[in-house]
Amino acid sequence: MVAAARAPRQNSRRAVLDAAARLFAERGYHGTSIRDIAAAAGITPAAIYSHFASKAGLLVAVYEEGVGRIAAALDAALEKAPGPARLQAACAAHLETLLEGGDYAQVVLRVWPRDVPEATAQLRRLRDGYEARFRRLVPDKHLRLLLLGAMNAAPGWYRPGGESPREIARLFLDRVGVHD
Amino acid sequence: MVAAARAPRQNSRRAVLDAAARLFAERGYHGTSIRDIAAAAGITPAAIYSHFASKAGLLVAVYEEGVGRIAAALDAALEKAPGPARLQAACAAHLETLLEGGDYAQVVLRVWPRDVPEATAQLRRLRDGYEARFRRLVPDKHLRLLLLGAMNAAPGWYRPGGESPREIARLFLDRVGVHD
Amino acid sequence: MVAAARAPRQNSRRAVLDAAARLFAERGYHGTSIRDIAAAAGITPAAIYSHFASKAGLLVAVYEEGVGRIAAALDAALEKAPGPARLQAACAAHLETLLEGGDYAQVVLRVWPRDVPEATAQLRRLRDGYEARFRRLVPDKHLRLLLLGAMNAAPGWYRPGGESPREIARLFLDRVGVHD
Amino acid sequence: MVAAARAPRQNSRRAVLDAAARLFAERGYHGTSIRDIAAAAGITPAAIYSHFASKAGLLVAVYEEGVGRIAAALDAALEKAPGPARLQAACAAHLETLLEGGDYAQVVLRVWPRDVPEATAQLRRLRDGYEARFRRLVPDKHLRLLLLGAMNAAPGWYRPGGESPREIARLFLDRVGVHD
DNA sequence: AATGAATGAGCCTTCATTCAT
DNA sequence: GATGAATGAAGGCTCATTCAT
């Protein structure tokens, strides 16, 4: 019962993933080294390769989870909100995930598929998957591009303490003529 | 008049700037090496340092020119357009510069100030300079963020042959209740 | 009779040896990794260490079997061939083993003892063991070096479909004045 | 006249080449690291890449010089020796280059083209070039293979102090019925 | 203004091997 | 016997930058 000696050597895959998500979000893909990630996860650089085939593969895994989280937040929001408030709920959920939902989601925005040639195709597919959800929600192409573009730029100017993600969603939708 | 003979390789500074703009726009700052730029400009890596103090300094120079071009396009457009069509003209000019105006402008969008810590302050100042113009043009903060965010995301989905930059501007403004 | 059910993956030691022999023959010792061998044998890298103490130890085992096979082929040939045809039979057997006898024999030629410092002594001893047989067969030192050197270089130029190993042996011996 | 301060930083390309030849001959290609070569040449690993594009490219350069030296020795010998003694002179020259002529020649024998997949074609072409000389000298294919195979195996058993290369050549040729 | 060579730090990745389970 | 995860060392190579010429 006392043991546990050698520390929680367990689930270091999760530790790696978390560290990678945080650092990729903070410094970008090329600004983050495998050594950085290993140090942040408390393991050896070589150990990362027990879990992921390459740095690009690690990015794909982070991306997958990021897209999954955004999609899940969106789905959960839509389930709760009835007809007319749907868009409002969706945008609020999207912005909340982006701005407060942690590193995974931000990596999806910060790292462009074309930044990592050897993974471009996979990353693009993952991104498309989450944009497809919005396509069903906002069939008007240019309204959709307007909203998505503006929301995805938010991490660039958002400051905690000002308007909340939910308020920003409302303010944006207000400008495009959608009121609650 | 006799001279000029040996095609004096003049203005290699310009060649470096152009090459850097193109590559930074294509592959990002960290995805582009000094060697890449030198090769594209037809000179030696070391020669770049005759013109620029560092890679970050080279980026700042590209940024400066990029911001300058966007601002010039904007100013030219505003000069021609009278009162009510002002915003329309400004957005069209902005999108035209971004989507068809070449690499310098795109670098300003693709490379984030925080990507290059040692130049963050300067890059931020340059960006702000061009955003300030918009601030005067669109005093409503969230309308401005909506438009700027959406326009700056356009290089990600724009395909030549579809709607022209000018049309996109009109479609966007239409959605936010500004009609010609 | 009921047992044996799950295709017991028996003799994975043999699978490892075979894989190692094939890969060492193909790519050399340093060109082959423990991972390569494990993958080719259908087991885990770690499992190799259940059977062999180290990569060098595995090489020694392959070498042992390689030398054993060459020696066995030689002995069998000598047993059948009476006096004057002895040398002919021996060289034919040697070349047959080298060129068609599989990977084990080729490893003995391809991997030099000095390639693997920590096993040099053992490998040298094993090689000497099979060269000693030839020493008794061809007491003339330089004739022996001539024949052995030439035969052992054969894998470098031999192409199946041309002269057979047996014919090559005859052609070589013909050149040194030994005729049937 | 006193200066020279920072040491002979000159012709470090030659130093790299010499170091590589020595180490490749001693330990083989895969047994030698770029760091080893750099240390032996008295420079930084990175500096090697000012002169050679890759480790394989460095090997090709060594090979080229090795083949060149063997060929030169052969040509020089043939020029001096009249008709009947031609073969004798050629073999003596070949063995002298191999056994005493230094590292470059030995690399050609020690490192097999197929050891380095990314350079196999080039290495093969270089080898062929020097074997072609012998083909003209000894048109009988199997006699040629006998002699070349035996001579090229000599570095494996040669010990300075015993028979000289020239004597070995005579002893070999004696066995194949060529006497002076 | 430009060069070729060099540097030192750092890159991603693979190596043979170990060990608790 | 076998595994998955981990290690520490080492692998080849690229980086931005400097400097004598």
Side-chain angles (χ1 to χ4, degrees), chain A residues 67 70 94 108-109 126-134 152:
Chain A
V67 168
I70 300 177
H94 188 75
V108 178
L109 296 177
L126 285 167
R127 274 210 178 198
D128 286 355
Y130 103 95
E131 277 170 12
R133 267 189 175 69
F134 246 90
N152 291 349

Side-chain angles (χ1 to χ4, degrees), chain A residues 25-26 30 110 114-115 140-143 145-147 149-150 153 156-157 163 171-172 175-176, chain B residues 25-26 30-31 110 112 114-115 140-143 145-146 149-150 153 157 163 171-172 175-176:
Chain A
E26 249 173 44
H30 289 294
R110 160 118 204 209
R114 69 177 176 191
D115 282 351
D140 177 339
K141 179 181 164 190
H142 288 92
L143 177 57
L145 290 170
L146 193 62
L147 287 173
W157 49 261
E163 295 96 359
L171 290 163
F172 275 175
R175 292 327 177 260
V176 297
Chain B
E26 250 173 44
H30 289 294
R110 159 120 205 208
W112 298 39
R114 71 176 175 191
D115 281 352
D140 176 339
K141 178 181 165 191
H142 288 92
L143 178 57
L145 290 171
L146 194 60
W157 49 262
E163 294 96 359
L171 289 163
F172 275 174
R175 294 321 178 263
V176 298

Side-chain angles (χ1 to χ4, degrees), chain D residues 54 56-57 59-61 63-64 67 113 116-129:
Chain D
S54 66
L59 172 64
V60 169
Y63 233 77
E64 246 161 13
V67 168
V116 188
E118 65 271 41
T120 297
Q122 285 178 85
L123 299 179
R124 200 110 68 185
R125 211 173 310 127
L126 285 167
R127 273 210 179 199
D128 286 355

